[in-house]
Amino acid sequence: MNNLSIRVPYVTRVEGHGTIAVDLKEGKLIKSVLEIVEPPRYFEAMMKGYLYTDAAVISSRICGICSVGHQITSVKATEKALAFDVSDQTVTLRKLLVYGATMQSHILHIFFLAAPDLFSAPSVIPLAKTHPETIKMALRMKRLSNDICDIIGGRTIHPNRLVPGGFTKLPTREQLLWIKDKLENQMVPDAKTSFELLKSLADKFPAFSRETEYIGLKTDNEYAFYDGDVSSTDTGLTPEKDYLSITNEFVVSHSTAKHAKHKRSSYAVGALARLNNNYGKLNPLAREVADALGMKPIVANPFLNTVAQLIETIHVTEESIKILDTLLTTGIKAERPFVPAKLHEGTGVGCTEVPRGILFHEYTYDNRGRIVKANCVIPTNQNAQNIDDDMRELVPWMIANNFDKDKMTLTLEMLVRAYDPCISCSVHFLDVKYVE
Amino acid sequence: MSSKAIAREKIPDAVSLLKAKYRVIAPVPKGKTFVFKKIGNPQEVVLDYNTTILPLKKFFLPPDEVIVKYNLKKREYQEPEIESEPTVFFGIHNYELQGILRLDYAFGTGVKDATYLKKRENNIFIGVTYTPDDYHFAESVGIPTDLKEGFDIFLTKYNGHYRVEALTDKGKNIVSQWSEFLEDCSYDGDPVVHFKNKLKQSVAGIREIFHGAYNHPVWKETSKKCYSCGTCNLVCPTCYCFDVSDEVVLGTDQGARSRRWDSCQILGFTEVAGGEAFREKRYDRVRHRMSRKFAYIMDDRDRPFCVGCGRCIRQCTADISITDVMNALL
Amino acid sequence: MEAKNIYVPEVADIIRIERMTELETFYDIKLPGGRDLGHEPGQFVEVSVFGIGEAPISVSSSHLKKGSFEMVVRSVGNVTQAMQKLKAGDKLGIRGPFGHGFKTKDFEGKDIVIIAGGIGLVPLRSLINTIIDPAERKKYGRVIILYGSKTKEEFLFRNELETWESRNDIEYHVTVDRKTSGWNGNVGVITTLIPDLKLDLHNTIAAVCGPPIMYKFVILSLRSKGLKDNQLYVSLERKMKCGVGKCGHCQINNIYVCQEGPVFNYAYIEDLKEAI
Amino acid sequence: MGKPKVAFFDFTSCEGCQLSKLNLENDLLDILELVDIVNFREAISNHGEDYEIAFIEGSISTPHCVERIHKIRRQAQIVVALGSCAHIGGINAIRNNMDQDEVREAVYGNDKYLFPSIKAQAVSDVVKVDYVIPGCPMDNQEFKRVLSALLTGKIPEIPEYSVCAECKAKENECLYDYGVVCMGPITRAGCRAACPTNGHYCYGCRGLVPDLNKNAAKDVMEKYKLSIDQIKKRFYMFNTNYVNMEEKSYE
Ligand SMILES: Cc1cc2nc3c(=O)[nH]c(=O)nc-3n(C[C@H](O)[C@H](O)[C@H](O)COP(=O)(O)OP(=O)(O)OC[C@H]3O[C@@H](n4cnc5c(N)ncnc54)[C@H](O)[C@@H]3O)c2cc1C
Ligand code: SF4
Ligand code: SF4
Ligand code: SF4
């Protein structure tokens, strides 16, 4: 195969608008990129002048899919900037919320966005007919993770209980007991079934691999989601406040989303990157599943991000049960909502592992609590260059393995989908200057 | 008959006993304020409270209530089941019950509304005295704190005790079951209370004043502050206007027609096809609400449809006060 | 306190349906067993369409008509649009009749002027068909019908209009706001028909129904002719959600239109600031 | 009658409304029985161009969006705008108050003069919209109600009254009692007072009530110590396109 041109306009089953463009001329790969064509959204500029109480409300709208992550990261950045005290209870509940959001996002991706490829179906709709039990199970799992978000965050999309300092309303003991019961007696068995299913489909993932730099949060005592230092498989730990030295965002012409790089030409974030950094801290069942699926670091096949998501789903289920036990023993204490901040100038960085990778928010406030400067670095931006780099190796690999054009197209789509990119999120910024 | 009293600490025991036979509704704290709620734990009950957010009407005219059910396929209409569990309303202020009596008038005269009246069966009211706060003005509308009309039992607070008066046979029956909690009462008479929020003039003659005040400047003045959110209507014990809408449960043949609290402060309240609204100006609506209470609707004893609970003043974020407006008219 | 649910409609059959104009549709409705509705002219019913909702609609036929009753509905919104799509044989929910209509007993021996603007003819037709019924006609004096419509295309009950015009015991005058091709009659709003009327001022009553803005002008005009307030009857439209004096929407100052109206003697509501 | 063909399209938005539909886990399978989904980029790969009902998410914010929405309007019999972005421009419209030249440069760089400046607009600013489901995100229960209405041939109605009405019906403590400024009194209801019920101020995502008394609202907010500048910002958060805070309102 010497000449080839592939265009997948509006890649489906991803969040937001992206186009795959691959051009091969006389055996030379001249283009292999994910073009991001989503209209830019200018969030950082729009937030300017708003009060610290509004930061999370606005930044949440960067992305509805990742709104829990954006809000948590946003309030953490504000709390750092304005020196809030945050109770242990708040932190625990926020973790529970992050876990709930992670579950819901991973389940959505595994079953509704990625699975159709594994079953060679165009979407989940025919699967509802051919595999009704699986789909019912997936819906049940997704509902439960949404229920967790509803109970802790008020609602799943753009939660309405998170404010700097804590929660405006707390869950009741009965609700927490309910979650725990459902996790133990419904989620765990369903997750095991999902594992069996994925195992049986293992050969459907292309056996491609390309090692890159894997970046994820890391802490001493747990598989990091809520906070930690920034950890790289190449360079070790960096404190969160120095995140810019990691992300180094830059602009490319084919994308309304910025790209990022650290030590190599690109790096990866997300479930696989987290697993590569945190494997040792997996909870027992998750560890068992990881081992059974051969997911031991360094896993360098990007298609296996979906598998890493399942392992994480199991891990956060176990983790949630653990922290619920603690919460239920100590009991939920009423906290006074709406504690106004003591206003002063300040800058703060917040970072969280959201389903698709590390999310950073940084705000600078003036002495009246108004945003002077905001910066958000989003996982999909961090992955963008890595996706392009993967494609550059994947195309020759596919040619070497005699893929026809249709199969190539599908595999490219599968690659993009494997990253579960959130393109809506990635176009949040203002200062694009096109450079060639 | 020598009178009896119950010590405050014994109240939960008395409530427990009631719970064995009745659904008990009583005030409980909610944050900084109070709400009427079905009692689970008798310790929750508070008798020292100013006012609840919503009046008791929520039990008889719920915010959203199915009035007709139907089946799309079978083409038939059905009456919804209406529950009328035997219920004790415990710790009720007298203006609150006066509100219910006004609703009884609205739903029980003219065409009788069974959907409402059914729920008024099997009710027992146990009243309690209260200390008026900055918003109450019940006395000005003819409801002094010692008015016991409608109650089966009335509790009068004194020194950590409540004097227990059984006013009806139902009340006597309940009091007889409380005997082990009761002691002799050393207090007779009724507490003298002072209302801070008052009308310049008592309600007698107020109807004429309102009828003559159609073009008074106070309506326009007040309407400048009002953003027609409707809170004043919804929290009022005597406002009962409702809207009606139909809904079919997605993917089924089950339909329901419901009524939902409505507010005459909203422009669309009077709007008909063609876009004509009969109280188009905001001041038309402000005037209508207040006039309705004091001039347009009176019960059979010519008492106004305001019981002076002060909820509409307390809960108006724009600080519009019905007593201020009336004092401007008087 | 025994009472029954007043909101549950009775299921009735549409036995005939006919499109009258682009917006208005005629319905002939049969109650279970062909029972009479038992209304007086000017009263209304609450009509339910399954799954959609309920709307107050005037009865357009005379109570003298047996076995079924008639309505004409203008399609303006939810219920009325859905009604337009129904067919003969379909079912509707009916509650009523409600309110107070025209007390024809009081009209006996008198000259009657009927002034109908647009769809206002619909409720007035029940009055007209009562007093012009051959068996009843002699109970009343002159019958004068003034009818105004936007254009001739919007005329309702065209066959009946022709009959009224041709009967010499009815004085029928019609006008349109706007002339369209083929119209040779009066052009102008309905009030332009009033000055030419020769009336026996002591023995005439007038019945008026039309769009909200019409009343003010018609009443002014009738008064300036010398009719007294208590000789005027108006049928008023208000928003209504229950039909039984509870929901509050139709309230004009201290009266409920669905209870005391929709037909009022003008002297009774003259002082109500929000009535006209 | 066959199953109605339904398409979902997304424009400039956070895609929360799309997800919101996928969060109807308990009803999804039933919905699939009632309608044929022919286009839903986020969830399915096939695109059908033959549909009767088009649900639109997102605001119209580029010339390309304008072209696309016109095409959809030509095809669809019924167009429903979903969520704040589509209904009122929503949060995207905050930027409409920013220097448009700067914004344009941001989008098109050196090519900025090739394109007319385009603000983030509601769908109804560009094409006729038949019905709306407001909210950020749209409330999926309301989506169900609207879908049910469309399937029964009923006009889906949205409330005209304020969020306070729903807040009161839920017997919430008013946030103003805690000194928190809430947009509930002037925001169109229908969310069942989602935010105040969870203790968070309402930010007006469902659009302002049709009969707005802006000055009264401003006075109350001022009384609760929000500066004029912040009051404006609060109004503009979701409602930039529908309120001009520079101009005095009438009674
Ligand atoms: C006593 C009475 C008799 C009537 N007789 C007839 C008749 O014979 N023929 C006829 O076509 N119409 C009649 N109407 C008007 C008819 O009731 C309304 O057009 C109808 O209720 C509109 O309902 P809808 O569901 O189709 O419209 P909706 O979708 O509910 O609303 C469309 C518009 O109508 C307004 N509206 C809603 N409810 C009413 C209401 N109850 N009355 C008036 N406007 C309303 C709404 O505010 C909106 O502006 C009568 C009204 C009354 C009060
Ligand atoms: S008008 Fe106001 S004070 Fe009077 S009863 Fe109603 S809410 Fe209470
Ligand atoms: S909290 Fe907000 S929505 Fe609720 S009553 Fe108060 S102002 Fe209205
Ligand atoms: S309370 Fe306000 S901000 Fe929250 S969903 Fe409702 S309208 Fe939107």
Side-chain angles (χ1 to χ4, degrees):
Chain A
M1 193 176 293
N2 269 332
N3 291 311
L4 173 75
S5 176
I6 293 178
R7 288 290 179 281
V8 185
Y10 290 119
V11 181
T12 54
R13 288 185 274 126
V14 298
E15 325 291 353
H17 299 162
T19 292
I20 294 171
V22 171
D23 285 319
L24 188 72
K25 250 195 201 127
E26 285 147 22
K28 252 181 69 191
L29 188 60
I30 55 169
K31 186 174 196 175
S32 67
V33 287
L34 176 64
E35 293 173 346
I36 292 186
V37 294
E38 178 94 9
R41 315 240 349 253
Y42 324 109
F43 268 87
E44 285 92 338
M46 296 196 310
M47 288 170 76
K48 218 178 271 176
Y50 272 94
L51 280 183
Y52 70 97
T53 48
D54 302 332
V57 175
I58 300 178
S59 61
S60 180
R61 270 70 191 180
I62 291 174
C63 178
I65 322 286
C66 316
S67 53
V68 167
H70 278 292
Q71 286 204 13
I72 289 202
T73 313
S74 176
V75 294
K76 286 200 305 182
T78 298
E79 285 161 355
K80 289 245 170 65
L82 299 177
F84 268 88
D85 282 335
V86 177
S87 71
D88 289 347
Q89 174 173 298
T90 296
V91 170
T92 311
L93 287 171
R94 284 185 188 164
K95 282 185 181 169
L96 203 49
L97 183 57
V98 172
Y99 298 153
T102 305
M103 274 177 224
Q104 106 77 31
S105 176
H106 283 358
I107 293 163
L108 177 73
H109 182 252
I110 298 168
F111 289 98
F112 297 78
L113 309 182
D117 291 330
L118 305 178
F119 289 106
S120 313
S123 80
V124 71
I125 296 175
L127 293 186
K129 290 262 180 303
T130 55
H131 299 74
E133 288 315 313
T134 304
I135 296 309
K136 276 191 199 137
M137 175 187 77
L139 287 169
R140 185 163 70 220
M141 293 168 86
K142 198 161 112 48
R143 183 67 255 156
L144 175 58
S145 44
N146 276 327
D147 285 336
I148 297 174
C149 297
D150 287 344
I151 288 171
I152 312 293
R155 63 183 172 193
T156 313
I157 305 171
H158 305 316
N160 44 20
R161 291 183 179 179
L162 282 162
V163 287
F167 285 89
T168 54
K169 190 172 178 181
L170 295 169
T172 62
R173 189 183 166 74
E174 290 66 41
Q175 289 175 316
L176 296 182
L177 280 167
W178 182 89
I179 299 178
K180 183 169 172 268
D181 173 63
K182 286 281 187 180
L183 285 175
E184 286 172 342
N185 299 315
Q186 180 193 307
M187 191 61 108
V188 171
D190 282 348
K192 286 182 181 159
T193 314
S194 310
F195 153 67
E196 296 296 341
L197 182 75
L198 221 52
K199 205 168 82 179
S200 70
L201 293 167
D203 62 331
K204 300 276 199 262
F205 294 99
F208 165 82
S209 72
R210 182 187 76 87
E211 195 173 324
T212 183
E213 181 180 1
Y214 298 95
I215 295 185
L217 292 183
K218 201 164 189 171
T219 63
D220 290 342
N221 33 29
E222 62 195 28
Y223 190 109
F225 276 97
Y226 181 72
D227 54 11
D229 288 327
V230 184
S231 163
S232 153
T233 46
D234 285 358
T235 63
L237 300 182
T238 308
E240 66 180 5
K241 67 176 177 24
D242 299 331
Y243 73 104
L244 290 174
S245 74
I246 300 277
T247 56
N248 305 302
E249 286 189 294
F250 62 99
V251 172
V252 293
S253 63
H254 61 264
S255 154
T256 51
K258 285 190 212 171
H259 286 206
K261 65 172 171 200
H262 183 223
K263 282 289 164 276
R264 312 187 187 199
S265 67
S266 59
Y267 67 88
V269 294
L272 197 58
R274 278 192 295 262
L275 187 74
N276 281 334
N277 277 290
N278 283 289
Y279 169 81
K281 302 214 178 61
L282 281 174
N283 280 321
L285 183 61
R287 173 70 173 261
E288 208 177 288
V289 166
D291 292 346
L293 292 167
M295 297 286 285
K296 249 203 178 103
I298 297 288
V299 180
N301 179 348
F303 291 94
L304 296 182
N305 194 45
T306 309
V307 179
Q309 287 177 329
L310 178 71
I311 296 167
E312 286 196 342
T313 304
I314 298 173
H315 170 82
V316 295
T317 302
E318 295 175 275
E319 193 66 22
S320 303
I321 295 171
K322 250 200 260 175
I323 58 178
L324 276 166
D325 276 332
T326 328
L327 255 181
L328 286 163
T329 349
T330 47
I332 292 280
K333 285 188 244 350
E335 288 181 359
R336 215 167 73 96
F338 324 117
V339 199
K342 293 176 217 64
L343 299 180
H344 54 78
E345 285 174 18
T347 296
V349 177
C351 66
T352 316
E353 280 288 355
V354 301
R356 292 160 186 81
I358 315 185
L359 171 63
F360 300 96
H361 280 215
E362 177 180 8
Y363 305 127
T364 304
Y365 287 102
D366 70 8
N367 59 9
R368 288 160 68 191
R370 295 178 304 189
I371 297 171
V372 183
K373 189 165 169 280
N375 186 35
C376 309
V377 182
I378 274 118
T380 295
N381 297 109
Q382 299 172 64
N383 275 332
Q385 189 60 39
N386 204 62
I387 297 177
D388 287 357
D389 288 353
D390 274 350
M391 284 206 220
R392 196 166 304 130
E393 278 191 25
L394 181 61
V395 175
W397 179 85
M398 292 190 292
I399 294 170
N401 284 287
N402 298 320
F403 281 31
D404 63 16
K405 188 174 168 185
D406 283 351
K407 197 167 172 199
M408 277 175 124
T409 310
L410 177 67
T411 309
L412 283 164
E413 283 186 68
M414 281 175 73
L415 174 77
V416 171
R417 276 200 279 274
Y419 279 87
D420 193 7
C422 189
I423 296 172
S424 315
C425 264
S426 65
V427 291
H428 57 95
F429 58 93
L430 174 68
D431 52 340
V432 193
K433 296 274 187 312
Y434 273 15
V435 289
E436 194 54 55
Chain B
M1 189 182 82
S2 70
S3 61
K4 291 286 178 190
I6 181 167
R8 186 189 308 191
E9 311 78 69
K10 291 275 162 54
I11 294 288
D13 297 329
V15 172
S16 288
L17 209 72
L18 289 173
K19 274 192 59 190
K21 274 175 87 178
Y22 303 95
R23 173 174 78 141
V24 178
I25 306 283
V28 302
K30 175 161 187 171
K32 294 201 259 187
T33 168
F34 304 91
V35 296
F36 289 120
K37 207 187 108 193
K38 178 176 169 187
I39 297 303
N41 172 5
Q43 299 290 347
E44 288 178 291
V45 175
V46 280
L47 287 181
D48 269 316
Y49 68 104
N50 49 5
T51 318
T52 53
I53 300 176
L54 289 179
L56 279 185
K57 82 171 169 189
K58 69 176 180 178
F59 295 104
F60 305 107
L61 181 66
D64 207 328
E65 172 179 37
V66 174
I67 52 174
V68 179
K69 286 178 157 179
Y70 51 86
N71 186 297
L72 282 182
K73 268 242 172 59
K74 293 197 204 137
R75 307 264 130 182
E76 58 186 33
Y77 292 99
Q78 292 140 17
E79 255 180 71
E81 280 290 322
I82 299 166
E83 303 232 341
S84 66
E85 247 183 288
T87 302
V88 173
F89 294 88
F90 188 88
I92 306 303
H93 294 165
N94 62 358
Y95 57 79
E96 198 67 49
L97 183 51
Q98 288 295 321
I100 299 296
L101 298 180
R102 301 297 187 278
L103 293 186
D104 289 351
Y105 178 76
F107 288 100
T109 52
V111 180
K112 289 191 175 29
D113 186 322
T115 317
Y116 171 89
L117 294 172
K118 261 265 170 50
K119 286 174 251 147
R120 284 286 287 112
E121 291 165 7
N122 299 320
N123 297 161
I124 293 173
F125 289 94
I126 302 182
V128 68
T129 44
Y130 67 101
T131 311
D133 68 5
D134 289 349
Y135 298 100
H136 291 112
F137 62 101
E139 189 166 33
S140 299
V141 291
I143 307 169
T145 47
D146 59 357
L147 179 71
K148 293 163 195 160
E149 179 190 2
F151 286 108
D152 296 289
I153 299 175
F154 200 81
L155 307 176
T156 304
K157 188 179 168 192
Y158 74 98
N159 311 333
H161 282 72
Y162 293 92
R163 185 181 70 212
V164 179
E165 279 172 90
L167 302 165
T168 62
D169 289 344
K170 282 193 272 182
K172 284 186 186 125
N173 182 23
I174 287 176
V175 171
S176 70
Q177 296 163 35
W178 279 349
S179 53
E180 56 173 308
F181 314 124
L182 299 183
E183 48 194 273
D184 283 335
C185 177
S186 58
Y187 182 83
D188 61 339
D190 286 300
V192 180
V193 295
H194 297 286
F195 282 81
K196 296 174 195 152
N197 196 354
K198 283 192 195 134
L199 302 185
K200 278 197 225 154
Q201 176 191 323
S202 81
V203 280
I206 220 156
R207 182 198 296 232
E208 286 62 40
I209 290 168
F210 264 89
H211 276 302
Y214 195 81
N215 293 317
H216 197 284
V218 73
W219 306 125
K220 273 195 184 153
E221 275 313 305
T222 309
S223 75
K224 285 189 186 141
K225 294 203 310 186
C226 171
Y227 36 36
S228 311
C229 71
T231 295
C232 51
N233 291 125
L234 304 187
V235 302
C236 176
T238 70
C239 272
Y240 55 86
C241 292
F242 55 84
D243 192 12
V244 176
S245 62
D246 280 42
E247 201 180 314
V248 175
V249 182
L250 184 66
T252 71
D253 297 321
Q254 299 305 314
R257 176 168 295 162
S258 309
R259 63 174 165 199
R260 189 188 48 75
W261 290 354
D262 206 347
S263 158
C264 61
Q265 299 307 291
I266 289 154
L267 180 58
F269 188 79
T270 56
E271 196 178 57
V272 296
E276 177 105 6
F278 295 93
R279 284 185 287 276
E280 194 198 342
K281 297 286 186 217
R282 211 179 297 279
Y283 56 78
D284 288 334
R285 290 172 257 148
V286 169
R287 175 180 50 225
H288 182 75
R289 171 171 81 90
M290 300 193 191
S291 302
R292 194 172 192 266
K293 310 238 161 269
F294 291 102
Y296 297 165
I297 307 186
M298 297 272 166
D299 73 2
D300 43 6
R301 285 160 59 188
D302 230 15
R303 297 178 300 190
F305 260 56
C306 166
V307 294
C309 69
R311 284 186 175 93
C312 59
I313 311 174
R314 187 191 310 267
Q315 296 188 48
C316 175
T317 47
D319 285 344
I320 291 171
S321 156
I322 196 166
T323 48
D324 287 355
V325 170
M326 290 172 68
N327 282 328
L329 297 178
L330 297 174
Chain C
M1 285 198 259
E2 72 180 87
K4 68 178 193 21
N5 186 316
I6 43 178
Y7 301 110
V8 178
E10 194 170 6
V11 178
D13 292 300
I14 302 180
I15 50 178
R16 191 157 67 86
I17 192 164
E18 210 173 285
R19 196 67 168 260
M20 297 189 100
T21 68
E22 197 185 325
L23 288 179
E24 281 98 6
T25 310
F26 168 93
Y27 302 82
D28 196 358
I29 307 290
K30 191 173 127 215
L31 289 174
R35 202 188 74 233
D36 280 342
L37 180 64
H39 67 290
E40 58 188 27
Q43 277 192 306
F44 68 98
V45 288
E46 285 280 349
V47 180
S48 288
V49 181
F50 280 95
I52 312 289
E54 194 175 46
I57 301 293
S58 306
V59 182
S60 194
S61 52
S62 155
H63 63 284
L64 302 169
K65 177 173 191 277
K66 296 293 162 196
S68 65
F69 70 94
E70 296 163 357
M71 318 185 290
V72 171
V73 177
R74 171 177 288 180
S75 162
V76 294
N78 224 335
V79 176
T80 49
Q81 272 176 28
M83 282 183 80
Q84 212 184 29
K85 293 184 203 132
L86 297 175
K87 293 181 293 299
D90 281 341
K91 301 205 183 285
L92 285 174
I94 299 289
R95 292 193 295 135
F98 293 127
H100 286 93
F102 297 99
K103 309 277 177 258
T104 40
K105 266 249 162 312
D106 299 348
F107 296 1
E108 289 177 9
K110 298 204 165 120
D111 295 350
I112 303 169
V113 184
I114 290 168
I115 305 178
I119 196 172
L121 183 61
V122 171
L124 289 174
R125 175 176 173 263
S126 65
L127 174 65
I128 296 173
N129 283 349
T130 305
I131 59 180
I132 68 169
D133 186 274
E136 302 279 310
R137 176 67 189 87
K138 59 185 179 309
K139 290 188 187 163
Y140 309 96
R142 290 164 67 196
V143 171
I144 306 164
I145 301 173
L146 310 185
Y147 177 40
S149 176
K150 278 209 189 83
T151 62
K152 78 173 198 325
E153 280 70 30
E154 274 137 85
F155 284 167
L156 301 170
F157 309 108
R158 286 166 205 224
N159 297 339
E160 289 169 57
L161 299 183
E162 279 171 27
T163 320
W164 299 344
E165 192 157 19
S166 65
R167 264 172 72 165
N168 47 24
D169 58 350
I170 298 175
E171 299 161 47
Y172 171 73
H173 306 280
V174 59
T175 180
V176 296
D177 293 355
R178 204 156 39 80
K179 186 179 151 75
T180 47
S181 72
W183 179 251
N184 302 315
N186 285 310
V187 179
V189 292
I190 197 159
T191 37
T192 56
L193 299 175
I194 299 174
D196 294 340
L197 294 178
K198 305 260 176 302
L199 301 177
D200 172 1
L201 289 180
H202 301 291
N203 197 38
T204 299
I205 62 107
V208 184
C209 186
I213 42 158
M214 189 187 100
Y215 293 91
K216 212 171 247 149
F217 298 103
V218 168
I219 287 166
L220 262 174
S221 181
L222 292 172
R223 278 168 136 187
S224 68
K225 276 205 95 70
L227 288 181
K228 300 250 162 33
D229 292 344
N230 63 6
Q231 292 172 285
L232 310 180
Y233 290 83
V234 291
S235 172
L236 298 183
E237 186 189 348
R238 283 295 184 275
K239 187 154 172 173
M240 285 178 192
K241 287 292 178 185
C242 74
V244 288
K246 308 295 175 210
C247 81
H249 289 267
C250 70
Q251 210 179 359
I252 300 178
N253 302 95
N254 54 352
I255 61 152
Y256 278 91
V257 174
C258 71
Q259 297 296 287
E260 298 181 43
V263 175
F264 294 96
N265 185 297
Y266 183 62
Y268 182 71
I269 55 163
E270 195 192 353
D271 292 335
L272 296 185
K273 304 279 197 305
E274 293 168 355
I276 301 284
Chain D
M1 193 181 75
K3 288 199 259 176
K5 294 198 184 64
V6 171
F8 297 93
F9 296 100
D10 53 334
F11 288 79
T12 307
S13 70
C14 76
E15 310 223 346
C17 294
Q18 309 255 354
L19 184 63
S20 177
K21 287 175 299 254
L22 296 178
N23 284 352
L24 280 167
E25 291 89 356
N26 298 337
D27 304 291
L28 275 181
L29 298 177
D30 291 340
I31 292 175
L32 290 177
E33 293 295 313
L34 298 169
V35 297
D36 255 340
I37 298 178
V38 301
N39 216 316
F40 190 165
R41 191 199 47 76
E42 200 201 348
I44 65 179
S45 279
N46 21 8
H47 323 267
E49 293 309 326
D50 172 24
Y51 44 85
E52 285 121 34
I53 308 177
F55 288 97
I56 312 291
E57 172 187 342
S59 16
I60 307 301
S61 74
T62 66
H64 178 62
C65 296
V66 175
E67 246 170 70
R68 257 181 85 212
I69 191 69
H70 277 294
K71 196 169 149 229
I72 293 167
R73 178 72 262 191
R74 281 193 295 273
Q75 167 64 32
Q77 282 156 32
I78 296 176
V79 169
V80 186
L82 284 189
S84 302
C85 299
H87 170 214
I88 50 179
I91 213 136
N92 297 312
I94 295 179
R95 75 164 155 95
N96 295 355
N97 278 332
M98 295 162 24
D99 177 351
Q100 288 303 301
D101 206 46
E102 231 171 74
V103 169
R104 239 185 311 168
E105 178 160 329
V107 194
Y108 304 111
N110 293 333
D111 290 335
K112 66 181 175 184
Y113 296 109
L114 291 179
F115 300 101
S117 162
I118 166 159
K119 298 193 170 197
Q121 299 169 92
V123 177
S124 63
D125 288 339
V126 185
V127 296
K128 177 172 172 275
V129 166
D130 299 290
Y131 310 114
V132 297
I133 306 177
C136 182
M138 85 167 189
D139 175 351
N140 54 21
Q141 296 307 314
E142 196 169 23
F143 173 76
K144 260 170 65 181
R145 271 200 303 280
V146 168
L147 191 62
S148 165
L150 290 176
L151 296 177
T152 29
K154 186 176 163 186
I155 298 170
E157 284 166 7
I158 55 169
E160 200 185 304
Y161 48 87
S162 73
V163 171
C164 283
E166 293 180 328
C167 194
K168 286 278 104 80
K170 286 199 159 178
E171 210 162 9
N172 294 326
E173 280 191 280
C174 181
L175 290 162
Y176 279 99
D177 290 346
Y178 289 83
V180 174
V181 170
C182 177
M183 295 278 278
I186 49 168
T187 299
R188 192 190 281 275
C191 58
R192 289 155 295 155
C195 298
T197 304
N198 281 303
H200 199 288
Y201 66 81
C202 165
Y203 28 78
C205 74
R206 296 180 53 93
L208 301 170
V209 289
D211 177 37
L212 175 67
N213 188 345
K214 191 172 72 188
N215 286 344
K218 192 201 79 199
D219 290 348
V220 171
M221 293 182 176
E222 229 178 333
K223 194 178 78 196
Y224 284 87
K225 309 225 160 49
L226 212 59
S227 68
I228 289 288
D229 175 51
Q230 288 304 323
I231 293 171
K232 287 184 191 166
K233 285 207 127 52
R234 226 8 118 69
F235 269 92
Y236 288 147
M237 200 185 265
F238 280 87
N239 293 288
T240 306
N241 288 343
Y242 294 86
V243 62
N244 182 351
M245 294 303 288
E246 310 307 322
E247 154 201 276
K248 274 197 78 100
S249 74
Y250 46 91
E251 285 164 30

